[in-house]
Amino acid sequence: MKLSGIIGYPITPFSDKGQIELNKLSDMIDILLTAKVDAIAALGSAGEAAYLSDEEWKAVAQHTVKHLAGKVPVIIGIAELTTENAVHKAQYAHQIGADAIMLSPFSYYKLSEREIFQHYRTVAEASPLPIMIYNNPATCGVDMSPEFMLRMVTDIPTATMIKESTGDIQRMHKIHALSGGNIPFYNGCNHLALEAINAGASGWCTAAPCLIGQKPKHLFDALKQGKSEQGAALFYEMYEFLEFIVSSGLSAAVKSGLALQGHNMGSPRKPLLPLTEGQQNRLQTMLTKLV
């Protein structure tokens, strides 16, 4: 499977009592489809996966696959402290018909490369789904070098893609250079979208389409078509917004923005908190200009 383009992140809607609302998850997915995303990655940071019970996690994964019904590929995010739990979720993702998994090593203790490699290999042996190696040290506490991730791609047959989210564009240049441009990599940092796509990223993983529709898709397509000036103009038009939704808390920002647009998806799950009134006002100003 070759993924290219915009990979959209849905949030997980909650009721006022904190229960998952699957009907609103359907609405959220439809918003992303209207934004012309090329794939959907459920249960990432925006989806508050770390704050869900196993039963809730499974419900969101299953509903996402069922509602999309093959319209675009579905990637299921997995970040577990134990290899056993990661295996169970990878097997479940395969069982429900997901197209790939996005696997992060999540750690309390500092993991060695030998331990990380074994984690990925064990998950790969337990599920046939393609694996996107996800490097996000700010969230997961594990930082993997480009060289190490490329070695895993070489040595683990189903590890076929890399998502880089350190915020260091040099990592992406190195992945491209060391692989001869043959290993697809994906940008996970909103503020690096312009540089990453120009550096050869196969896709951009982002929650931005939840709020600003097709603008991320237009940016990606413009740059891939060699329209550099148009792409740069689109990027800088979005830049403040792209930076804001991450710095203010991704799920909180997206949920607040959706509410401002008439889609009440609930609040993030505590200890996460909604945006302050000042943050909401700033977000409203940005959305008024962008939508």
Side-chain angles (χ1 to χ4, degrees):
M1 180 184 65
K2 185 171 177 58
L3 290 171
S4 179
I6 301 298
I7 301 173
Y9 285 144
I11 52 87
T12 299
F14 297 125
S15 70
D16 292 339
K17 295 182 179 180
Q19 298 172 324
I20 291 176
E21 294 198 298
L22 294 178
N23 60 324
K24 290 189 177 181
L25 178 58
S26 296
D27 296 338
M28 176 74 267
I29 293 168
D30 290 340
I31 288 170
L32 288 173
L33 290 175
T34 301
K36 302 296 183 184
V37 299
D38 298 284
I40 283 180
L43 295 161
S45 301
E48 300 179 64
Y51 301 92
L52 304 181
S53 69
D54 285 348
E55 293 75 17
E56 290 173 327
W57 187 95
K58 288 181 177 180
V60 170
Q62 183 181 47
H63 187 83
T64 301
V65 173
K66 182 179 179 181
H67 185 75
L68 279 166
K71 293 183 180 72
V72 298
V74 181
I75 308 164
I76 299 296
I78 299 174
E80 293 292 324
L81 278 171
T82 69
T83 300
E84 180 182 17
N85 285 346
V87 163
H88 289 160
K89 288 188 172 178
Q91 291 173 333
Y92 185 76
H94 177 240
Q95 175 188 329
I96 62 175
D99 297 285
I101 58 174
M102 182 171 62
L103 182 61
S104 310
F106 195 82
S107 180
Y108 177 84
Y109 290 106
K110 183 176 175 61
L111 299 178
S112 67
E113 287 190 348
R114 182 171 68 91
E115 289 167 327
I116 298 168
F117 184 92
Q118 185 61 48
H119 180 74
Y120 274 87
R121 183 164 65 182
T122 302
V123 172
E125 289 172 350
S127 170
L129 290 179
I131 295 174
M132 179 183 285
I133 298 170
Y134 182 16
N135 191 41
N136 187 10
T139 299
C140 295
V142 178
D143 190 6
M144 298 178 284
S145 70
E147 293 87 349
F148 174 65
M149 290 189 288
L150 288 169
R151 179 163 70 84
M152 287 202 289
V153 170
T154 299
D155 293 347
I156 301 174
T158 54
T160 59
M161 307 167 274
I162 295 172
K163 179 184 172 188
E164 234 298 317
S165 295
T166 59
D168 181 0
I169 191 64
Q170 299 305 320
R171 305 278 190 110
M172 298 187 203
H173 288 314
K174 185 161 284 190
I175 291 168
H176 182 83
L178 292 177
S179 71
N182 293 320
I183 303 302
F185 65 91
Y186 301 82
N187 172 50
C189 291
N190 277 336
H191 66 278
L192 283 185
L194 179 63
E195 295 168 282
I197 298 167
N198 282 329
S202 294
W204 173 18
C205 304
T206 178
C210 295
L211 298 177
I212 59 172
Q214 297 182 32
K215 284 187 180 293
K217 178 68 170 173
H218 292 162
L219 166 61
F220 184 87
D221 289 347
L223 294 174
K224 288 298 184 181
Q225 293 165 10
K227 301 174 183 177
S228 57
E229 289 187 10
Q230 180 184 340
L234 284 167
F235 173 72
Y236 287 113
E237 181 185 348
M238 293 184 276
Y239 179 76
E240 182 185 6
F241 165 80
L242 294 174
E243 190 177 47
F244 174 85
I245 61 173
V246 175
S247 64
S248 59
L250 195 54
S251 62
V254 173
K255 285 184 172 181
S256 287
L258 287 165
L260 290 170
Q261 294 173 341
H263 305 287
N264 181 15
M265 300 288 177
S267 298
R269 184 164 279 178
K270 292 179 180 179
L272 303 179
L273 293 173
L275 298 190
T276 64
E277 183 178 353
Q279 288 174 315
Q280 290 185 52
N281 291 338
R282 184 181 170 196
L283 180 57
Q284 178 69 78
T285 299
M286 288 185 279
L287 291 176
T288 300
K289 295 177 181 177
L290 289 170
V291 180

